[in-house]
């Protein structure tokens, strides 16, 4: 039983990483209706910016805020320059665009900061949290920040005019335009916010997985899976999905014999697919009704 | 998050391509075919090898095109079927000494089975969810190929070396050239089969499902059967392509069949034009040659150059090579009128 609780705790700790990433994925899905494959790379690039700032002697929290601002405007810039022209192109062409963006950011980061693994500081410290060996104060901090972000986003979307406008632009663009919402800028804003959330996720994850241009590869896969598991239309679902994903993965690694590190991911994915077969819109997702 | 989301206008994931627009005219086909036959006679062995690569990757892109462009289902798991096909061929050739031309149909049949079975759970999923399911298959495959109890046949992490076949009947041809013509014949046969498939009753059923699933089922199309059938056919063709690749590359290893391969095939389909079968070969050319060109422009930034080139292509022709072909056709038509 002790083993079980410990594994669940460790799962929650890794799950926090996935939850962060899944939240960013869902944010951009809400705004543009596509899964952004370059999301992880955008987060990685922002994290490198903050690292560079700290190398230049900027204190952690100042670097944190500057990076958020950079990520926000960077996200908007990417949408305006690269993806606005593709708004009318077929969806699959857009997906190819994400893959291209992925290649560009990954390769540029590799050239600027090279591929060696870098240490990244944590503001929360890495002592054991409340005396538990499995969960450190950093991981607890990470869970805290994720929950705070979730609450913040909830209030933003539910109680502010601009949040309402963004929701309207995402769900019924035509009607939103008729009531005077600038839907094109709402999409750009969605990109900016998703990029900033991704940057937060990146800066929280970096102390755990270490900083390097490919650090997001594995995390993003889990993030996507978590977002899909929770239902792509629900930010709360994304966070819950992230934690479940972490727990799944740890329990599968511990209790199913013959599952090494290599088979953890396929097993976690297989579990998710079985969930999806029963609930095709994810755990918390809204079932989308199509008009014929 | 809001109630308005409940009713969303059907958003077409894959645009409707009329079936006549899916192929080339007879005249153009003959010219392309003659070119494909003639070029190797004047090329070096390495170029011939690259052309062979072009053909079998084109075949794999074609398979994805039938699935996505034909039946509107999206797959990131093609690398898994490609890998199964390659392994079936390699294991049969090396461990059981079966001639290569008999291995390919077996690879096709095995992959058809695998695809058809995988199509069953995929039936309930569509769009992103289907993409994730197929993606899971793609990530699992290299690990499955490495499993210990299969190592006797598959060679585990090491992979298997495959012997290249000689030209039969004492034909005065290099191995590469023979393999090229062999591949060409297989690819042509499958291309003709695919074109006819899409023109047949089954093809019309695929397209009806792609354009509107509910309407299709209302017209009496057995949606479940045709969706899984599309998966099966696509997997079978991918498997044959994988088998051809195993013979041409003379080597199979689990890590050649990762998600990267599936993404490349996807890019090939987009660049070639979704739903336009001849575009598959253009797409294959893109995924083989453009990374090399990018590397030639800048070693350190090859990924970025590749990305920029890809962006250029999708800005200029968002519908891929199909758009170029349509433009060419219109131009030719105008010239003829004058």
């Amino acid at each position: 039983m002790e083993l079980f609780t410990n594994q669940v705790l460790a799962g929650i700790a890794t799950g926090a990483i996935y939850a962060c990433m899944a939240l960013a994925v869902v944010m951009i899905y809400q705004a543009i209706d596509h899964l952004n494959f370059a999301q992880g790379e955008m987060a990685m690039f922002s994290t490198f910016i903050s690292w560079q700032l700290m190398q230049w002697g900027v204190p952690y929290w100042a670097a944190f805020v500057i990076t958020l601002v950079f990520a926000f405007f960077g996200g908007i810039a990417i949408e305006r320059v690269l993806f606005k022209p593709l708004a009318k192109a077929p969806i699959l062409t857009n997906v190819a665009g994400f893959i291209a963006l992925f290649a560009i950011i990954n390769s540029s980061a590799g050239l600027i900061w090279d591929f060696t693994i870098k240490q990244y500081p944590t503001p929360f410290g890495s002592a054991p949290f409340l005396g538990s060996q499995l969960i450190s104060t950093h991981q607890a901090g990470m869970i805290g920040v994720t929950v705070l972000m979730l609450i913040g986003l909830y209030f933003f979307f539910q109680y502010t005019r601009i949040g309402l406008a963004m929701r309207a632009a995402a769900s019924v663009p035509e009607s939103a335009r008729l009531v005077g919402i600038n839907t094109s800028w709402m999409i750009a804003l969605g990109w900016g916010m998703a990029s900033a959330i991704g940057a937060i996720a990146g800066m929280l994850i970096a102390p755990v997985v270490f900083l390097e241009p490919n650090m997001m590869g594995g995390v993003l896969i889990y993030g996507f899976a978590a977002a899909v598991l929770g239902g792509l239309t629900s930010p709360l679902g994304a966070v819950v999905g992230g934690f479940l994903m972490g727990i799944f993965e740890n329990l599968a690694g511990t209790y199913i014999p013959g599952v090494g590190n290599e088979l953890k991911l396929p097993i976690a994915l297989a579990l998710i697919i079985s969930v999806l077969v029963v609930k095709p819109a994810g755990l918390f997702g809204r079932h989308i009704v199509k008009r014929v | 998050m809001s109630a308005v989301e409940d009713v969303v206008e059907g958003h077409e994931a894959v645009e409707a391509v009329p079936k006549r627009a899916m192929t080339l005219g007879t005249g153009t086909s003959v010219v392309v075919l003659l070119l494909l036959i003639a070029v190797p006679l004047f090329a070096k062995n390495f170029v011939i090898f690259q052309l062979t690569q072009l053909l079998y990757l084109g075949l794999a892109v074609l398979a994805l095109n039938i699935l996505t462009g034909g039946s509107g289902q999206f797959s990131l798991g093609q690398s898994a079927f490609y890998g199964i096909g390659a392994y079936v061929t390699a294991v049969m050739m090396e461990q059981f000494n079966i001639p290569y031309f008999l291995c390919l149909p077996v690879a096709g049949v095995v992959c058809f089975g695998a695809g058809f079975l995988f199509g069953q759970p995929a039936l309930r999923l569509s769009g992103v969810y289907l993409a994730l399911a197929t993606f899971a298959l793609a990530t699992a495959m290299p690990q499955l190929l490495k499993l210990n109890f299969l190592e006797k046949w598959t060679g585990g992490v090491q992979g298997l070396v495959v012997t290249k076949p000689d030209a039969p009947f004492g034909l005065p041809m290099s191995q590469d050239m023979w393999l090229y013509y062999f591949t060409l014949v297989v690819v042509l046969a499958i291309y003709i089969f695919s074109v006819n498939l899409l023109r047949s009753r089954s093809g019309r059923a695929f397209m009806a499902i792609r354009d509107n699933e509910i309407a299709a089922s209302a017209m009496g199309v057995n949606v479940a059967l045709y969706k899984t059938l599309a998966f099966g056919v696509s997997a079978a063709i991918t498997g044959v392509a994988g088998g051809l690749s195993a013979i041409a590359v003379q080597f199979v290893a689990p890590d050649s069949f990762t998600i990267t391969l599936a993404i490349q095939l996807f890019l090939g389909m987009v660049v070639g034009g979704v739903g336009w079968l001849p575009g598959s070969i253009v797409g294959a050319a893109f995924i083989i040659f453009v990374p090399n060109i990018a590397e030639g422009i800048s070693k350190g930034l090859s990924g970025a150059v590749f990305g920029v080139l890809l962006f250029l292509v999708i800005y200029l022709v968002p519908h891929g090579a199909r758009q170029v072909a349509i433009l060419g056709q219109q131009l030719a038509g105008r010239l003829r009128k004058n």
Side-chain angles (χ1 to χ4, degrees):
Chain A
M1 196 58 216
E2 174 131 12
L3 181 68
F4 180 79
T5 354
N6 284 347
Q7 286 303 326
V8 169
L9 263 181
I12 291 178
T14 32
I17 303 178
Y18 308 149
C20 269
M21 207 59 222
L23 197 56
V25 166
V26 165
M27 267 303 301
I28 202 152
Y29 187 77
Q30 291 281 312
I32 62 173
D33 229 15
H34 302 320
L35 280 183
N36 181 359
F37 289 102
Q39 183 101 54
E41 301 311 290
M42 287 163 60
M44 175 273 292
F45 200 87
S46 307
T47 313
F48 262 114
I49 295 281
S50 68
W51 178 81
Q52 189 65 63
L53 287 170
M54 280 183 255
Q55 291 302 98
W56 287 335
V58 182
Y60 184 91
W61 290 108
F64 188 88
V65 173
I66 298 174
T67 305
L68 281 197
V69 174
F70 166 84
F72 181 74
F73 287 104
I76 291 183
I78 288 177
E79 197 277 334
R80 288 284 110 175
V81 177
L82 294 177
F83 287 95
K84 193 164 173 265
L86 288 178
K88 292 221 159 51
I91 291 180
L92 294 180
T93 309
N94 271 288
V95 175
F98 294 137
I99 296 171
L101 183 64
F102 182 101
I104 293 175
I105 298 181
N106 187 286
S107 157
S108 317
L111 190 78
I112 304 174
W113 291 290
D114 73 50
F115 286 91
T116 51
I117 293 173
K118 293 173 180 64
Q119 290 273 357
Y120 192 89
T122 159
F124 306 111
S126 48
F129 181 66
L130 299 179
S132 159
Q133 290 301 316
L134 278 157
I135 186 161
S136 68
T137 42
H138 174 76
Q139 282 160 326
M142 197 156 75
I143 296 173
V145 172
T146 310
V147 172
L148 275 182
M149 266 201 306
L150 184 67
I151 296 172
L153 281 174
Y154 175 79
F155 279 100
F156 174 78
F157 278 113
Q158 226 59 29
Y159 296 108
T160 63
R161 285 185 69 86
I162 194 141
L164 180 67
M166 279 179 76
R167 266 159 54 203
S171 48
V172 249
E174 283 84 6
S175 317
R177 266 197 291 280
L178 284 178
V179 296
I181 295 169
N182 188 339
T183 49
S184 157
W185 270 102
M186 290 302 137
I187 292 174
L189 199 60
W191 269 83
M193 286 179 61
S195 167
I197 295 173
I200 297 180
M203 286 185 275
L204 290 175
I205 297 166
V208 186
V209 299
F210 300 113
L211 185 59
E212 53 124 355
N214 295 322
M215 72 181 224
M216 283 297 181
V219 178
L220 184 68
I221 293 173
Y222 284 106
F224 274 142
V228 172
L229 175 66
L232 276 167
T233 46
S234 153
L236 174 67
V239 172
V240 174
F243 285 120
L244 283 180
M245 188 78 198
I247 298 171
F248 267 179
E249 183 201 28
N250 261 296
L251 292 184
T254 318
Y255 287 105
I256 304 175
V259 177
N261 262 331
E262 306 245 282
L263 272 178
K264 256 160 107 180
L265 176 63
I267 288 195
L269 288 173
L271 261 170
I272 286 181
I273 292 164
S274 6
V275 172
L276 284 181
V277 167
V278 184
K279 269 187 87 68
L283 292 174
F284 293 83
R286 237 169 228 288
H287 196 70
I288 304 224
V289 180
K290 271 194 189 156
R291 223 179 252 166
V292 183
Chain B
M1 252 188 287
S2 61
V4 237
E5 275 172 342
D6 281 22
V7 181
V8 173
E9 289 289 313
H11 202 57
E12 293 311 326
V14 178
E15 50 180 333
V17 186
K19 68 175 185 262
R20 285 206 45 197
M22 285 185 137
T23 51
L24 275 181
T26 330
T28 331
S29 311
V30 171
V31 174
V32 172
L33 180 59
L34 286 178
L35 268 178
L36 284 176
I37 294 177
V39 168
L41 299 175
F42 309 101
K44 280 189 241 147
N45 269 347
F46 179 67
V47 179
I48 297 178
F49 169 72
Q50 276 192 320
L51 287 172
T52 316
Q53 210 181 358
L54 182 70
L55 286 178
Y56 65 70
L57 274 178
L59 190 61
V61 176
L62 175 105
L64 181 58
N65 232 333
I66 292 178
L67 185 67
T68 307
S71 81
Q73 302 181 88
F74 180 63
S75 169
L76 274 175
Q78 297 301 97
S79 60
F81 301 121
Y82 193 89
I84 296 177
Y87 260 93
V88 168
T89 310
V91 170
M92 280 173 71
M93 277 173 73
E94 291 311 306
Q95 315 285 21
F96 301 102
N97 285 321
I98 296 167
Y100 59 98
F101 47 87
L102 292 180
C103 299
L104 290 178
V106 178
V109 170
V110 170
C111 286
F112 180 85
F116 194 80
L117 285 181
F118 187 77
Q120 300 291 339
L123 266 183
R124 286 180 57 91
L125 309 173
S126 61
V128 208
Y129 300 96
L130 182 60
L132 183 84
T134 51
F135 173 82
L137 184 68
T139 49
M141 191 48 65
Q143 312 302 341
L144 295 179
L145 291 173
K146 283 178 197 163
L147 284 181
N148 277 339
F149 67 90
L150 290 175
E151 204 166 317
K152 210 166 25 154
W153 297 290
T154 59
V157 189
Q158 308 282 319
L160 267 182
V161 176
V162 181
T163 26
K164 211 172 219 178
D166 285 316
F169 322 119
L171 285 176
M173 264 186 204
S174 68
Q175 286 175 327
D176 282 313
M177 195 182 281
W178 163 245
L179 199 59
Y180 173 81
Y181 284 114
F182 176 72
T183 310
L184 184 62
V185 170
V186 175
V187 170
L188 269 183
I190 294 180
Y191 176 74
I192 293 169
F193 162 80
S194 314
V195 169
N196 284 323
L197 175 76
L198 289 177
R199 282 184 184 155
S200 71
R201 187 185 157 88
S202 307
R204 285 195 299 275
F206 288 169
M207 279 175 251
I209 292 172
R210 174 195 68 194
D211 295 343
N212 195 326
E213 206 175 307
I214 301 169
S217 75
M219 286 190 306
V221 172
N222 185 340
V223 175
L225 175 70
Y226 280 105
K227 275 180 125 177
T228 40
L229 196 65
F231 245 105
V233 170
S234 169
I237 298 177
T238 315
V240 174
L244 286 168
S245 87
I247 305 174
V249 181
Q250 295 173 273
F251 182 61
V252 289
D255 288 326
S256 329
F257 309 110
T258 55
I259 183 71
T260 320
L261 175 68
I263 291 176
Q264 282 180 326
L265 294 178
F266 166 75
L267 288 181
M269 177 178 70
V270 171
V271 169
V274 179
W276 191 55
L277 299 185
S280 306
I281 209 97
V282 183
F286 183 87
I287 55 180
I288 296 174
F289 297 115
V290 172
N292 289 345
I293 297 172
E295 195 127 310
I297 294 175
S298 159
K299 268 236 142 59
L301 273 177
S302 61
V305 176
F306 176 75
V308 171
L309 289 174
L310 183 56
F311 259 120
L312 278 183
V313 171
I314 58 181
Y315 278 152
L316 293 175
V317 278
H319 299 271
R322 182 162 65 93
Q323 211 171 349
V324 180
I326 292 172
L327 278 178
Q329 225 168 19
Q330 283 168 348
L331 206 68
R334 216 172 295 154
L335 285 178
R336 219 170 286 162
K337 260 187 209 154
N338 289 342

